[in-house]
Amino acid sequence: MRLTPAESDRLQLYLATLLARERRGRGLRLNVPEATALIAHAACEAARDGVRVDEAVTAACEVLTAADVLPGVAHLLTEIQVEAVFDDGTKLIVITDPIPADDDPRTAPGAVLAAAAPATDYAAPVTITVTNTGEVPVSVSSHYHFFEANRVLAFDRAAAYGTRLALPVGSVTVFEPGTPRTVTLTPLGGDRVVIGFAGLVDGPLDTVGARERALHRAHTDGYLDTGSAIAQEGHPA
């Protein structure tokens, strides 16, 4: 039997529909190709039964719900196009949003599922004034351990220990020479282990004596500090 390309495509769609029905019958939730096959087949069969285009679209949209498909499928299938044979000829059926989404943003493709925030006793965000005593602008990125920022920046180092700029990821703040600037700092999260940067900490932030040792190194290395006299003294490593 010789088939036209359109007839061959229609048979392939029917085979895909049979497979989708079989899997759905076993209680499986459908993926994108399976859901597409069922919906497109329903539209074609409605057209073959002699309905109008809009009625074929309606029939196709009643085939599946979000509960019948895998998470994210309803968001991915925004449009299905299929050629169907009507009583007055072949027409293209365009089915928009054939599966009603469940409106749960967690099921959208690429959704970020955040874990429950662990209980912490981190300090609240602090606001400090920073002055660039150098001759050129200094840029500090969002997740740099601000305590270890450029040594020509004068600010309360002790207050900045264990914090970063309260900025979106990848953002920077520029400190112009001689111009005081007030910034907000937020505590570093996670395991609170700081490695690298200026090498003033190079380890856990919250172990006993870590803050005092880091302050001592900062003062020894010439990092400007406008903090209290006690902070200026530091402690030997």
Side-chain angles (χ1 to χ4, degrees):
M1 181 174 63
R2 293 184 178 181
L3 300 174
T4 66
E7 291 169 337
S8 178
D9 289 345
R10 186 70 188 88
L11 283 178
Q12 289 184 28
L13 175 60
Y14 182 64
L15 288 175
T17 301
L18 290 179
L19 178 61
R21 284 176 177 170
E22 178 184 313
R23 290 176 175 173
R24 187 184 182 191
R26 299 204 310 267
L28 298 178
R29 300 180 72 177
L30 305 181
N31 58 26
V32 170
E34 293 161 352
T36 300
L38 276 179
I39 294 167
H41 176 74
C44 290
E45 289 305 295
R48 190 69 180 84
D49 289 340
V51 303
R52 300 190 305 270
V53 172
D54 59 335
E55 293 173 324
V57 171
T58 299
C61 290
E62 294 174 347
V63 174
L64 297 174
T65 67
D68 297 317
V69 296
L70 292 169
V73 171
H75 294 273
L76 288 172
L77 280 181
T78 58
E79 183 178 279
I80 295 175
Q81 297 184 13
V82 62
E83 286 190 345
V85 179
F86 290 84
D87 289 345
D88 55 351
T90 300
K91 299 179 183 179
L92 178 66
I93 302 177
V94 179
I95 309 161
T96 304
D97 296 325
I99 305 175
D102 56 11
D103 296 326
D104 185 349
R106 295 174 298 175
T107 64
V112 176
L113 304 182
T120 65
D121 57 358
Y122 301 160
V126 296
T127 300
I128 63 172
T129 299
V130 182
T131 302
N132 179 2
T133 65
E135 297 180 353
V136 297
V138 173
S139 298
V140 182
S141 61
S142 59
H143 281 59
Y144 194 91
H145 184 207
F146 201 78
F147 170 83
E148 303 181 63
N150 196 302
R151 70 188 69 213
V152 302
L153 297 180
F155 58 88
D156 187 342
R157 298 274 169 176
Y161 183 82
T163 69
R164 63 175 180 85
L165 287 166
L167 297 173
V169 175
S171 302
V172 299
T173 292
V174 179
F175 299 92
E176 299 292 342
T179 304
R181 179 164 186 169
T182 300
V183 296
T184 299
L185 305 177
T186 190
L188 291 167
D191 294 333
R192 288 179 60 80
V193 176
V194 171
I195 302 295
F197 298 106
L200 300 180
V201 179
D202 263 340
L205 287 165
D206 302 320
T207 56
V208 176
R211 179 171 175 271
E212 290 72 19
R213 289 192 294 270
L215 280 167
H216 177 73
R217 290 171 187 157
H219 300 150
T220 300
D221 293 347
Y223 284 77
L224 296 181
D225 190 350
T226 62
S228 66
I230 294 177
Q232 294 288 358
E233 288 179 8
H235 294 270

